[in-house]
Amino acid sequence: MIYSRRQYVDDGGLVTYGLSYLDLDRRAATYVDKILKGAKPADLPVELPTKFELVINMKTAMVLGLTIPPSLLARTDEVIE
């Protein structure tokens, strides 16, 4: 199963590919900072996510008898051993 949230892979899921919620939180903080400094929310641009993360849980892959190709492992942001 491929999940969109990292928490599922931390809890035993196989793969996650999705938004980096840590990055979104940081970017949201910059919006809050601008608003608190007087910017009008309607004047702020809408931004799309720019950082995505790929995490593979190798423990789960081994339990399922799956071999993850080295080319995919090389692209992951994190491998859970």
Side-chain angles (χ1 to χ4, degrees), residues 53-81:
E53 63 182 359
L54 174 63
V55 180
I56 298 176
N57 188 328
M58 290 303 290
K59 288 190 265 184
T60 302
M62 284 188 252
V63 168
L64 295 172
L66 298 174
T67 302
I68 307 298
S71 60
L72 183 58
L73 287 174
R75 294 179 177 192
T76 61
D77 295 295
E78 185 175 346
V79 175
I80 297 172
E81 296 291 336

Side-chain angles (χ1 to χ4, degrees), residues 22-36:
L22 180 61
D23 184 58
L24 285 180
D25 290 345
R26 286 182 183 146
R27 293 174 60 200
T30 62
Y31 269 78
V32 171
D33 181 56
K34 290 175 184 177
I35 292 168
L36 291 175

Side-chain angles (χ1 to χ4, degrees), residues 5-31:
R5 289 190 155 265
R6 159 89 190 240
Q7 293 83 356
Y8 294 117
V9 175
D10 290 337
D11 292 337
L14 179 61
V15 176
T16 182
Y17 181 72
L19 306 172
S20 170
Y21 287 95
L22 180 61
D23 184 58
L24 285 180
D25 290 345
R26 286 182 183 146
R27 293 174 60 200
T30 62
Y31 269 78

